[in-house]
Amino acid sequence: MIQRCDPVVLNQIKALVAPILYSQETLQTRQRRLARLGYTIAETGEGVYLATLPHGVRLMELR
């Protein structure tokens, strides 16, 4: 389940993490950079999501 979020806040989060998500770095390096900002890439059977750390609240679907 994706957490409902204020659209303005969600756009700010997207702007913050987009350079990391679309970089050509390895997944491990991107995960480390996202963790510094309090986010992670969560892969589940339902898809791939941007989630918060440490609680794992899904914020948006990736891909």
Side-chain angles (χ1 to χ4, degrees):
M1 180 174 135
I2 297 177
Q3 178 71 30
R4 289 172 41 108
C5 188
D6 183 307
V8 173
V9 173
L10 192 56
N11 283 335
Q12 290 175 338
I13 294 169
K14 286 179 183 179
L16 180 67
V17 301
I20 298 170
L21 293 176
Y22 299 115
S23 71
Q24 297 299 315
E25 299 170 327
T26 65
L27 178 60
Q28 182 180 12
T29 301
R30 285 184 283 161
Q31 286 278 38
R32 191 176 317 117
R33 290 180 63 197
L34 285 169
R36 289 180 195 146
L37 299 174
Y39 300 99
T40 188
I41 298 172
E43 297 181 31
T44 68
E46 300 170 3
V48 180
Y49 299 91
L50 180 70
T52 62
L53 283 177
H55 299 101
V57 176
R58 296 179 195 169
L59 298 176
M60 69 180 99
E61 188 170 9
L62 302 174
R63 298 184 198 176

